[in-house]
Amino acid sequence: MTDDPVNLDTRRSAESRMATDIRRHSLRDFEADQRALRLRQEELEVQLLAEPAANWREAALKAQYLIRRYSETAEARDARRQELIERALGDLARLIEE
């Protein structure tokens, strides 16, 4: 037995190595996009926490953001909750337009 790692890339065909490289780059791009998204969300949340809403429109926008974040959770995937989320977002959109 040896402690040296085996380089599996040397045992793959050229086509397989290319497919692996594409997956690796895609994963890196995805992870970079996820980091950037988390950063933007953190920046937005800092702004949302900075001051209380000055009017109903700002309050509705904050509520929409929170409902959308909740809709991304596993708990919100229930069909009934999805319908409630859609209706609440629609109600808030109508309030914002007024």
Side-chain angles (χ1 to χ4, degrees):
M1 184 180 240
T2 178
D3 290 331
D4 296 329
V6 176
N7 184 355
L8 296 177
D9 285 340
T10 59
R11 297 172 185 230
R12 293 188 176 113
S13 68
E15 200 172 281
S16 178
R17 281 194 303 265
M18 189 178 349
T20 301
D21 288 341
I22 290 170
R23 281 193 305 276
R24 287 177 182 159
H25 290 294
S26 297
L27 180 60
R28 283 189 210 121
D29 292 343
F30 174 77
E31 289 170 345
D33 289 345
Q34 290 298 304
R35 280 191 299 276
L37 175 61
R38 278 191 300 276
L39 251 175
R40 286 193 308 272
Q41 285 176 333
E42 288 173 14
E43 291 170 358
L44 175 61
E45 289 172 6
V46 165
Q47 290 176 356
L48 292 174
L49 285 169
E51 298 179 21
N55 53 50
W56 282 106
R57 183 179 189 282
E58 287 180 12
L61 289 169
K62 286 183 180 187
Q64 276 184 325
Y65 174 76
L66 289 173
I67 292 169
R68 284 191 182 108
R69 289 297 308 264
Y70 171 71
S71 73
E72 297 169 356
T73 66
E75 196 175 84
R77 289 198 173 85
D78 175 67
R80 189 173 51 108
R81 288 193 178 133
Q82 285 294 312
E83 175 133 4
L84 288 168
I85 288 168
E86 287 176 32
R87 287 186 181 195
L89 289 172
D91 293 342
L92 290 168
R94 283 187 294 283
L95 285 174
I96 291 169
E97 290 174 3
E98 291 180 356

